[in-house]
Amino acid sequence: MLNFEFYCPTRVFFGRDQHKRVGEIIKSYGFKKVLLHYGEGSIKKTGLYDEVVKALNDAGIDFVELGGARPNPVLGLVRKGIEICRKENVDLVLAVGGGSAIDSGKAIAVGAANDCDPWLFFMKKREPERALPVGTILTLAATGSETSASAVITNEELKLKRGYNSDFHRPLFSILNPELTYTVSPYQTACGIVDIIMHTAERYLTQKGEAEVTDRIAEAVLKSTINAGRKALKNPRDYKARATLMWAGSISHNGLTGLGRDFFMVSHQIEHEISGMFEEVAHGAGLAVVFPAWMKYAYKYNIPRFCQYAVRVWNCEMDYANPENTAIAGIEATEKFFREIGMPTTMKELNINVTDENIEEMAEKCTNYGERTLPGYIEYGKKEIIDILKLCM
Amino acid sequence: MLNFEFYCPTRVFFGRDQHKRVGEIIKSYGFKKVLLHYGEGSIKKTGLYDEVVKALNDAGIDFVELGGARPNPVLGLVRKGIEICRKENVDLVLAVGGGSAIDSGKAIAVGAANDCDPWLFFMKKREPERALPVGTILTLAATGSETSASAVITNEELKLKRGYNSDFHRPLFSILNPELTYTVSPYQTACGIVDIIMHTAERYLTQKGEAEVTDRIAEAVLKSTINAGRKALKNPRDYKARATLMWAGSISHNGLTGLGRDFFMVSHQIEHEISGMFEEVAHGAGLAVVFPAWMKYAYKYNIPRFCQYAVRVWNCEMDYANPENTAIAGIEATEKFFREIGMPTTMKELNINVTDENIEEMAEKCTNYGERTLPGYIEYGKKEIIDILKLCM
């Protein structure tokens, strides 16, 4: 078990009707002026917007609003949000939506409270000194952004997608009502399932550290997500299944499933280049393509670990004489499940036309033009990333 | 899945040598004057006291000290600590030790910051409005007090042991170095194992709420604790085993293993009466006696749940034709494990002489002299508690 620090202070309000308490919750903290930040309007269609506005009004909370956060949220909107926060003396950013609205809200919160351009944080050129507090109402089980310290933003001018971690913008509170995910489409539900699995699986399939509690918790999250994922796709209004996915999503990316083990997210890093270049690619769908390719490339560096994954998560039989068979069976089970829930597992199925030049460019960007390698079983440089991307074709 | 609120803001520093950072950590928060609170002197024998003092001095942190917190920590010492904190303008209580020192430290922290006698909080007669912040260095994997909102104090005059939960006294940070538990005796290690198991098992064996993630996480904690418990007793300096117990202990009582399910701790409540009356009884040993008795009394009210416990935690075979057999097998497996690790499972083995009058008195106290029943599969009043206590004989 490697040394670790664990800190997850977000207060979670989970369950039916909890979003109706948002005004009262904000008031209990003493905030007065909120930036209500959301996506492209689905919360208006579902009636959630009206319920949130009513709750804010009932509690006497003043607010300004900014919609328009889209999947792969962009820096332009973040800058606009920062301007509003400063002009209107906002003291809390309330993000209502999925990971995109929340990540965008986090970037606004940290940008508004510091004096430099927020992109510098994402490029690791500067460290923030503070942030406005962030609250969230979650409408999609996927990114775990509602309790995580991370945010991912796309610089639309540079076509660069970059993540950035900070305790400053970790949500102060998050409201999780599984009923708010009933209307999520099957495709987006499946993208979320993949994302939840990946946040845990990438922590699980690492080299160093032996951590029994962490391993078993990771397996708990993975098995629950697989079971509930199937049920939620069969019946979108299955409360128990939606609740399981929602809570699994939050736990999956708050650190808990990787404590005491080393931690690198190679598939996530590579996927960011795909959806950074092809904006139409949903993050979860991109991951469903990259992860099996990465596993096929990487399993041979840690066959025992891949066997544990196959047996404990996917109930594969252990082939004691030929463990490699079990490792491969686990990879196949993952790929089969992704297909079962309607996810693509190749670039072709993503409906994007990826050329050799594109792959070269993705690998260049992923290594910051040769400035870095990705750590893992091996050091992933440009050549290794190209090999993995080619396995995605 | 029942609605829930989850909040666990304690910052955990886990691993080798982490306690040597305590001065630097306290300084990073800006605190200046610490009450160093500890137990009956074992930290002086092991050298931990000197290391903590050095770390505080190196960081320029001023401190006063109060030792003497003993198992089943008492109100008298808490009052003394409160007096010191007020007189010396202490701004952080640093508890170094096991659950007793930490619980005592919590009660001091909440008592020092409010104007009434702290026992009123434990009797639920008053609500505190604030507390001094609490930091901990843990030396025993057991109570989970290092990340929990609860504290248990014994009023030695009234011979009453009462627990009290508050976010105010939940530790701000906790330092968990598994090496500090190498010197814990086999008996105390076993008591800790039972306590960890109980914090999760009592949340698990409840009636209402279906929560797949929570169930699987609870099973993860239970299985890890059973495995690591055996290893730590075999080799007290097995770092991985000690680390597993330490982290399992923290997770077991911070709420995570019961989210979305109803929650009552009947065995804990009954045990408090035993160790409240017989001070020589260690809490964990008392639990090892009460829990099997409670299970034998209660399993018939929820056989499917006890089957899940038997199969998933203890690897019992499911008897599909006669599920009751499986439920009983799980109870027997628990009792057998307690014996295997050297725990008593009857009052006789606790070496206390319990009379019928004692049992009557315990049941009276446990129901606050008829003022309350304990909730659960059934309402546990005086009669039911007496029945369970008799099963402990």
Side-chain angles (χ1 to χ4, degrees):
Chain A
M1 203 145 160
L2 306 178
N3 286 7
F4 65 81
E5 192 177 320
F6 181 62
Y7 180 56
C8 188
T10 304
R11 192 184 285 268
V12 172
F13 299 90
F14 192 101
R16 297 178 203 269
D17 289 330
Q18 298 277 21
H19 63 285
K20 295 178 185 164
R21 298 172 55 196
V22 66
E24 157 212 329
I25 290 166
I26 291 173
K27 198 174 176 182
S28 76
Y29 286 104
F31 300 119
K32 295 191 173 12
K33 183 78 176 263
V34 166
L35 174 69
L36 173 57
H37 186 48
Y38 52 91
E40 298 177 295
S42 67
I43 66 165
K44 292 196 174 169
K45 277 181 231 150
T46 60
L48 174 57
Y49 174 86
D50 291 337
E51 291 186 316
V52 170
V53 166
K54 183 177 183 304
L56 293 174
N57 285 336
D58 286 354
I61 305 289
D62 194 12
F63 68 94
V64 283
E65 61 181 278
L66 176 67
R70 58 181 172 112
N72 301 321
V74 293
L75 187 60
L77 191 72
V78 169
R79 288 185 177 136
K80 202 165 159 186
I82 291 169
E83 207 175 299
I84 297 174
C85 286
R86 287 181 182 156
K87 195 175 142 207
E88 301 280 347
N89 286 318
V90 161
D91 57 12
L92 175 90
V93 176
L94 176 66
V96 182
S100 304
I102 297 173
D103 282 11
S104 182
K106 285 175 172 177
I108 291 170
V110 79
N114 294 277
D115 286 332
C116 64
D117 186 81
W119 186 245
L120 294 175
F121 305 136
F122 288 83
M123 292 305 289
K124 278 89 179 168
K125 303 277 187 200
R126 281 277 292 274
E127 282 294 322
E129 285 165 23
R130 63 194 77 84
L132 293 181
V134 176
T136 85
I137 299 175
L138 186 65
T139 62
L140 181 69
T143 68
S145 188
E146 65 276 12
T147 61
S148 84
S150 73
V152 180
I153 293 292
T154 296
N155 184 322
E156 63 272 45
E157 289 159 18
L158 305 178
K159 279 192 181 270
L160 271 181
K161 189 174 175 181
R162 285 288 174 270
Y164 164 66
N165 290 347
S166 169
D167 277 337
F168 284 119
H169 62 203
R170 199 193 276 267
L172 180 67
F173 68 84
S174 282
I175 297 174
L176 277 60
N177 177 355
E179 294 175 311
L180 299 180
T181 65
Y182 284 171
T183 53
V184 176
S185 72
Y187 187 79
Q188 284 303 329
T189 299
C191 285
I193 293 165
V194 174
D195 203 18
I196 296 167
I197 288 175
M198 292 301 301
H199 287 144
T200 292
E202 290 224 64
R203 286 174 165 91
Y204 188 83
L205 292 170
T206 56
Q207 186 83 308
K208 279 183 234 151
E210 281 184 82
E212 182 168 1
V213 185
T214 297
D215 272 12
R216 290 189 189 276
I217 287 177
E219 292 152 10
V221 169
L222 289 170
K223 289 183 87 138
S224 303
T225 305
I226 294 161
N227 287 345
R230 288 188 171 117
K231 287 179 194 165
L233 285 169
K234 208 167 166 187
N235 175 11
R237 302 178 73 85
D238 180 332
Y239 183 83
K240 274 192 283 183
R242 291 291 194 182
T244 299
L245 288 180
M246 199 166 230
W247 188 230
S250 285
I251 289 177
S252 200
H253 203 30
N254 75 1
L256 193 68
T257 59
L259 298 174
R261 303 187 51 80
D262 63 356
F263 172 39
F264 48 86
M265 298 192 85
V266 176
S267 296
H268 264 81
Q269 296 292 343
I270 295 175
E271 195 292 316
H272 282 175
E273 301 310 329
I274 301 176
S275 55
M277 187 177 288
F278 298 92
E279 286 172 28
E280 65 272 36
V281 172
H283 176 54
L287 286 172
V289 171
V290 175
F291 187 47
W294 172 79
M295 285 199 286
K296 287 170 199 167
Y297 186 87
Y299 82 88
K300 57 184 174 288
Y301 297 106
N302 197 345
I303 286 176
R305 193 75 191 159
F306 274 82
C307 287
Q308 182 177 322
Y309 170 74
V311 172
R312 291 217 200 147
V313 176
W314 295 102
N315 301 318
C316 298
E317 281 283 335
M318 179 66 197
D319 185 337
Y320 293 96
N322 299 293
E324 190 169 358
N325 290 342
T326 307
I328 292 169
I331 298 170
E332 287 172 351
T334 311
E335 210 170 351
K336 194 177 157 202
F337 176 73
F338 288 171
R339 286 206 206 95
E340 178 192 334
I341 62 172
M343 282 286 103
T345 56
T346 63
M347 294 273 203
K348 272 186 222 78
E349 290 168 328
L350 276 176
N351 292 322
I352 52 174
N353 185 20
V354 183
T355 64
D356 283 353
E357 289 70 35
N358 292 147
I359 285 185
E360 179 88 14
E361 191 185 334
M362 287 181 204
E364 284 280 7
K365 282 183 175 169
C366 199
T367 57
N368 276 355
Y369 301 93
E371 268 183 29
R372 67 167 186 183
T373 55
L374 305 181
Y377 299 141
I378 55 168
E379 293 287 314
Y380 298 84
K382 191 178 155 188
K383 182 192 165 306
E384 291 75 19
I385 292 167
I386 288 175
D387 286 347
I388 293 168
L389 282 166
K390 284 190 172 165
L391 283 171
C392 296
M393 298 301 283
Chain B
M1 202 147 160
L2 306 178
N3 285 8
F4 66 80
E5 191 176 321
F6 182 61
Y7 180 55
C8 187
T10 304
R11 191 183 285 269
V12 172
F13 299 90
F14 192 101
R16 298 180 201 269
D17 289 330
Q18 298 278 21
H19 63 285
K20 295 179 186 165
R21 297 173 56 196
V22 66
E24 157 213 329
I25 290 166
I26 291 172
K27 198 174 176 181
S28 76
Y29 286 104
F31 300 119
K32 294 187 173 17
K33 184 77 175 265
V34 166
L35 174 69
L36 173 58
H37 186 50
Y38 51 90
E40 297 178 295
S42 67
I43 67 165
K44 292 196 173 168
K45 278 182 228 148
T46 60
L48 175 58
Y49 174 85
D50 291 335
E51 290 185 316
V52 170
V53 167
K54 183 177 183 305
L56 293 175
N57 285 335
D58 286 354
I61 305 289
D62 194 13
F63 68 93
V64 284
E65 61 180 279
L66 176 67
R70 57 178 173 116
N72 300 323
V74 294
L75 187 61
L77 192 72
V78 168
R79 288 184 177 138
K80 202 165 158 188
I82 291 169
E83 206 175 300
I84 297 173
C85 286
R86 287 181 182 156
K87 195 174 141 207
E88 301 279 347
N89 287 315
V90 161
D91 58 11
L92 175 91
V93 176
L94 176 66
V96 182
S100 305
I102 297 173
D103 281 11
S104 182
K106 284 175 172 176
I108 291 170
V110 80
N114 294 278
D115 288 332
C116 65
D117 186 82
W119 186 246
L120 294 175
F121 305 135
F122 288 83
M123 291 306 288
K124 277 91 177 168
K125 303 276 185 202
R126 281 277 292 274
E127 281 296 321
E129 286 166 22
R130 63 194 77 83
L132 293 181
V134 176
T136 85
I137 299 177
L138 186 65
T139 62
L140 182 68
T143 68
S145 188
E146 65 277 12
T147 61
S148 83
S150 73
V152 180
I153 293 291
T154 296
N155 184 322
E156 63 271 46
E157 289 159 17
L158 305 178
K159 279 193 184 269
L160 270 183
K161 188 174 176 181
R162 285 290 175 268
Y164 164 65
N165 291 347
S166 168
D167 278 336
F168 283 120
H169 63 201
R170 198 193 276 268
L172 181 66
F173 68 85
S174 281
I175 297 174
L176 277 60
N177 176 357
E179 293 175 311
L180 299 179
T181 65
Y182 283 171
T183 53
V184 176
S185 72
Y187 187 79
Q188 283 303 329
T189 298
C191 285
I193 292 165
V194 173
D195 203 18
I196 295 168
I197 287 174
M198 292 301 301
H199 287 143
T200 293
E202 290 223 63
R203 287 175 165 90
Y204 188 84
L205 292 170
T206 56
Q207 186 84 307
K208 279 183 234 151
E210 280 184 82
E212 181 169 0
V213 184
T214 296
D215 272 11
R216 290 189 188 275
I217 287 177
E219 292 153 9
V221 169
L222 290 169
K223 288 185 88 139
S224 302
T225 304
I226 295 160
N227 286 346
R230 288 187 171 120
K231 287 178 194 165
L233 286 168
K234 207 167 168 188
N235 175 11
R237 302 179 71 85
D238 180 332
Y239 183 83
K240 274 190 284 183
R242 291 291 193 181
T244 298
L245 289 180
M246 198 166 231
W247 188 229
S250 285
I251 289 177
S252 200
H253 204 29
N254 74 0
L256 193 68
T257 60
L259 298 174
R261 302 186 53 78
D262 62 355
F263 173 40
F264 48 86
M265 298 191 85
V266 176
S267 296
H268 264 82
Q269 296 291 343
I270 295 176
E271 194 292 316
H272 283 175
E273 301 310 328
I274 301 177
S275 54
M277 187 176 288
F278 299 92
E279 286 171 29
E280 64 273 37
V281 172
H283 176 53
L287 286 172
V289 172
V290 175
F291 187 48
W294 173 79
M295 286 197 286
K296 286 169 200 166
Y297 185 87
Y299 82 88
K300 58 184 172 290
Y301 298 106
N302 196 346
I303 287 177
R305 192 75 192 158
F306 275 81
C307 287
Q308 181 177 322
Y309 170 74
V311 173
R312 291 216 201 149
V313 176
W314 295 101
N315 301 317
C316 299
E317 282 282 336
M318 179 66 197
D319 186 337
Y320 294 95
N322 300 294
E324 190 168 358
N325 290 341
T326 306
I328 293 169
I331 298 169
E332 287 172 350
T334 311
E335 209 169 355
K336 193 175 158 203
F337 176 74
F338 287 171
R339 285 205 206 95
E340 178 192 333
I341 62 172
M343 283 287 101
T345 55
T346 63
M347 294 273 204
K348 274 185 221 80
E349 291 168 326
L350 277 176
N351 292 322
I352 51 175
N353 185 19
V354 183
T355 64
D356 283 353
E357 288 71 35
N358 292 147
I359 284 183
E360 180 89 11
E361 190 184 335
M362 287 182 206
E364 285 280 7
K365 282 182 176 171
C366 200
T367 55
N368 276 354
Y369 301 94
E371 269 184 30
R372 66 166 187 185
T373 55
L374 305 180
Y377 298 141
I378 54 168
E379 293 287 314
Y380 298 85
K382 191 177 155 188
K383 182 194 165 304
E384 291 75 19
I385 292 167
I386 287 174
D387 286 346
I388 293 168
L389 282 167
K390 285 189 172 165
L391 283 173
C392 297
M393 299 303 283

